[in-house]
């Protein structure tokens, strides 16, 4: 509990510190943006003063005193696009715009509207006349506006990586926990199994009814199979060439004999032998999981059909019930760990089945179709050898 609390506290501190750092960076970026914007306006004001100097009547007399300073200022204002407009609204000149369109009146009008929306004009008075310099933000300033967005994107990616890291780490810990529990369960089952085998030997010597002993032996064999299944969780199982018809029929017959008589079981296959690389314990577990889910969905009454067919090296096992059905939006959700619609259950059966079929047997398992209150069809697809 203390470890969980410390981990949660660390996550909260990490997120809080990240938000503080990003907030400070965004604030400093905003301040830098505003200072840069003021610097550009100051540059354009100096540019206006240079235009004013060039247009005064005394310019010719002062030319030798001021040298080429106004011309130098104007020529060096190359990074800020602007348009010079007279007091009558006529465009008198422009600079730093698209050289291919600077003589296009429509283009200049559109640029002028953009400039009016971005900055207040700079007033230039000379010889009783007034001109206005309209300008827009430089390309560098425009690029800076996207910097906070890029920073936010980096932050989102950073947080996503942290989230995925914690999620993967948690999933890994959960898998280790389940693997440990499964192996421990297999170990615990092993002890009473050995004892039961001994008691069966004693019962045989006591001339107990053979039918009773056979049923007990079936259940002991069943417990042994379950222990083997649990012991294989968490490790790569060994696959062997085996007849999928035989293995599937064994699981089918076992559940049929122990289910309600109001359920009609049907098993069909066009072949007596279809071979595939299988782990018999785990594959039988998948068939049982699907059959049990079908039986539970029908509430002990209905029809359950299992069909096996092989076409073009593809084995298809289809299990159809007449149960309550699954909403289409949940077709993929049912295979996620922890998902269940039952009052009792941990939502692991279909999750384990998916892992066994897809990760261990290189096959595919899916909900082929389902209708509410009409039934569901699951399908397993494997490769024939």
């Amino acid at each position: 509990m203390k470890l969980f609390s410390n981990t949660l506290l660390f996550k909260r501190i990490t997120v809080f510190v990240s938000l503080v750092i990003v907030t400070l960076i965004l604030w400093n970026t905003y301040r830098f943006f505003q200072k840069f914007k003021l610097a550009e306006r100051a540059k354009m004001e100096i540019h206006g003063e240079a235009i004013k100097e060039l247009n005064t009547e005394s310019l010719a007399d002062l030319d030798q005193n001021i040298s080429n300073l106004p011309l130098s200022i104007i020529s060096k204002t190359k990074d800020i696009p602007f348009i010079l407009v007279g007091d009558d609204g006529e465009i008198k000149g422009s600079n730093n715009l698209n050289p291919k369109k600077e003589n296009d009146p429509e283009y200049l009008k559109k640029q002028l509207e953009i400039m009016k929306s971005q900055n207040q004009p700079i007033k230039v008075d000379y010889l009783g006349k007034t001109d206005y310099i309209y300008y827009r933000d430089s390309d560098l300033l425009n690029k800076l506006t996207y910097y906070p967005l890029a920073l936010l994107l980096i932050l989102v990616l950073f947080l996503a990586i942290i989230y995925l890291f914690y999620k993967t780490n948690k999933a890994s810990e959960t898998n280790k926990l389940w693997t440990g529990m499964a192996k421990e369960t297999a170990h615990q089952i092993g002890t009473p199994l050995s004892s039961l085998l001994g008691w069966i030997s004693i019962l045989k010597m006591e001339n107990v009814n053979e039918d009773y002993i056979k049923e007990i032996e079936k259940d002991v064999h069943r417990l042994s199979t379950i222990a083997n299944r649990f012991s294989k969780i968490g490790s790569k199982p060994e696959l062997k060439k085996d007849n999928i018809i035989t293995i599937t029929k064994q699981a089918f017959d076992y559940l049929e004999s122990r289910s309600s008589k109001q359920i009609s079981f049907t098993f069909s296959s066009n072949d007596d032998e279809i071979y595939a690389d299988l782990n018999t314990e785990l594959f039988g577990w998948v068939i049982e999981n699907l059959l049990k889910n079908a039986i539970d969905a029908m509430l002990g009454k209905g029809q359950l059909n299992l069909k096996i067919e092989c076409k073009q090296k593809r084995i298809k096992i289809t299990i159809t019930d007449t149960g309550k059905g699954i909403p289409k939006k949940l077709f993929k959700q049912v295979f996620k760990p922890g998902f269940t619609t039952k009052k009792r259950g941990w939502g692991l059966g279909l999750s384990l089945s998916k892992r066994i079929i897809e990760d261990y047997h290189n096959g595919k398992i899916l909900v082929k179709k389902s209708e509410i209150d009409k039934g569901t069809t699951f399908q397993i697809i494997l490769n024939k050898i």
Side-chain angles (χ1 to χ4, degrees):
M1 188 68 181
K2 185 177 180 181
L3 177 63
F4 173 78
S5 178
N6 290 338
T7 303
L8 185 60
L9 180 62
F10 175 74
K11 290 179 181 179
R12 290 178 177 175
I13 291 175
T14 301
V15 173
F16 177 75
V17 170
S18 299
L19 290 175
V20 170
I21 292 173
V22 171
T23 302
L24 290 174
I25 293 174
L26 290 176
W27 172 249
N28 286 328
T29 302
Y30 172 77
R31 290 183 62 189
F32 176 74
F33 180 85
Q34 294 300 320
K35 288 181 178 180
F36 201 87
K37 198 173 180 70
L38 290 174
E40 287 195 346
R41 184 166 185 85
K43 188 182 292 187
M44 292 309 300
E45 287 175 348
I46 295 173
H47 186 91
E49 290 296 322
I51 291 176
K52 181 177 179 180
E53 287 292 331
L54 288 175
N55 283 280
T56 54
E57 290 182 346
S58 59
L59 180 60
D61 297 331
L62 295 174
D63 187 57
Q64 293 181 352
N65 295 326
I66 63 174
S67 184
N68 292 320
L69 181 60
L71 290 173
S72 178
I73 292 173
I74 293 174
S75 65
K76 290 182 179 180
T77 312
K78 295 180 179 180
D79 55 341
I80 305 175
F82 67 89
I83 296 177
L84 185 65
V85 180
D87 55 2
D88 57 354
E90 182 181 356
I91 296 177
K92 300 176 69 174
S94 63
N95 204 357
N96 303 325
L97 295 174
N98 190 333
K100 296 180 180 180
K101 297 182 179 181
E102 60 184 359
N103 295 322
D104 184 353
E106 290 299 322
Y107 171 75
L108 292 176
K109 286 182 180 179
K110 290 181 180 179
Q111 290 297 311
L112 184 59
E113 291 300 320
I114 294 173
M115 293 174 182
K116 287 180 178 180
S117 66
Q118 288 187 356
N119 298 290
Q120 291 293 323
I122 295 172
K123 191 176 181 181
V124 181
D125 294 317
Y126 63 94
L127 301 177
K129 296 182 180 181
T130 302
D131 287 344
Y132 296 92
I133 299 176
Y134 290 91
Y135 68 99
R136 62 177 173 83
D137 298 336
S138 65
D139 292 338
L140 178 59
L141 195 60
N142 286 330
K143 289 177 181 178
L144 283 174
T145 59
Y146 294 104
Y147 177 73
L149 295 177
L151 186 64
L152 287 175
L153 179 60
I154 292 172
L155 174 65
V156 170
L157 291 174
F158 174 71
L159 292 176
I161 291 171
I162 292 178
Y163 171 75
L164 290 174
F165 171 76
Y166 280 119
K167 186 176 180 180
T168 303
N169 191 45
K170 184 178 180 181
S172 177
E173 291 178 356
T174 303
N175 286 335
K176 289 180 180 178
L177 176 63
W178 284 116
T179 300
M181 289 180 63
K183 292 185 179 296
E184 180 62 21
T185 301
H187 176 71
Q188 294 293 336
I189 291 175
T191 302
L193 267 178
S194 301
S195 178
L196 284 172
L197 289 171
W199 282 109
I200 290 173
S201 298
I202 293 173
L203 290 174
K204 286 180 178 179
M205 289 187 292
E206 294 293 332
N207 296 320
V208 177
N209 190 320
E210 285 292 331
D211 292 335
Y212 297 161
I213 295 176
K214 286 180 180 179
E215 290 302 318
I216 294 173
E217 285 180 331
K218 287 180 182 179
D219 287 333
V220 169
H221 177 71
R222 170 71 177 170
L223 286 172
S224 178
T225 301
I226 292 172
N228 287 333
R229 290 172 179 173
F230 278 107
S231 67
K232 287 179 171 60
I233 291 178
S235 57
K236 191 73 173 178
E238 183 181 355
L239 304 182
K240 293 182 179 180
K241 180 181 178 181
D242 216 323
N243 185 2
I244 201 169
I245 304 294
T246 302
I247 298 169
T248 306
K249 191 69 166 62
Q250 287 175 352
F252 184 87
D253 291 342
Y254 178 83
L255 285 175
E256 181 182 10
S257 64
R258 285 161 174 75
S259 299
S260 170
K261 301 304 178 183
Q262 292 183 318
I263 297 177
S264 174
F265 285 79
T266 304
F267 185 96
S268 62
S269 174
N270 295 331
D271 302 280
D272 294 329
E273 294 182 349
I274 302 176
Y275 287 93
D277 284 329
L278 301 171
N279 181 279
T280 55
E281 288 90 354
L282 294 182
F283 181 76
W285 195 0
V286 172
I287 298 299
E288 289 179 15
N289 278 334
L290 294 179
L291 292 174
K292 285 179 181 178
N293 283 344
I295 293 168
D296 292 341
M298 293 186 290
L299 302 177
K301 184 178 181 180
Q303 294 181 349
L304 195 158
N305 302 319
L306 191 152
K307 181 180 180 181
I308 302 178
E309 55 185 344
C310 183
K311 294 181 180 179
Q312 298 178 348
K313 297 290 184 178
R314 303 286 279 180
I315 306 169
K316 294 183 179 180
I317 304 171
T318 307
I319 298 174
T320 304
D321 64 62
T322 56
K324 56 187 178 182
I326 303 171
K328 192 172 183 179
K329 62 182 180 180
L330 299 180
F331 278 15
K332 294 183 179 180
Q333 296 284 338
V334 296
F335 293 105
K336 292 185 176 181
F339 180 88
T340 180
T341 58
K342 302 175 185 177
K343 292 182 179 179
R344 295 181 180 180
W346 288 13
L348 295 175
L350 288 176
S351 174
L352 283 170
S353 298
K354 183 179 178 69
R355 183 171 182 177
I356 291 168
I357 294 298
E358 297 188 358
D359 293 352
Y360 296 161
H361 291 82
N362 297 317
K364 189 175 182 182
I365 183 171
L366 68 153
V367 181
K368 187 176 181 182
K369 64 178 181 178
S370 184
E371 294 184 52
I372 301 299
D373 297 327
K374 290 187 178 181
T376 301
T377 298
F378 278 86
Q379 189 171 78
I380 298 172
I381 302 174
L382 296 173
N383 296 316
K384 179 186 177 183
I385 59 172

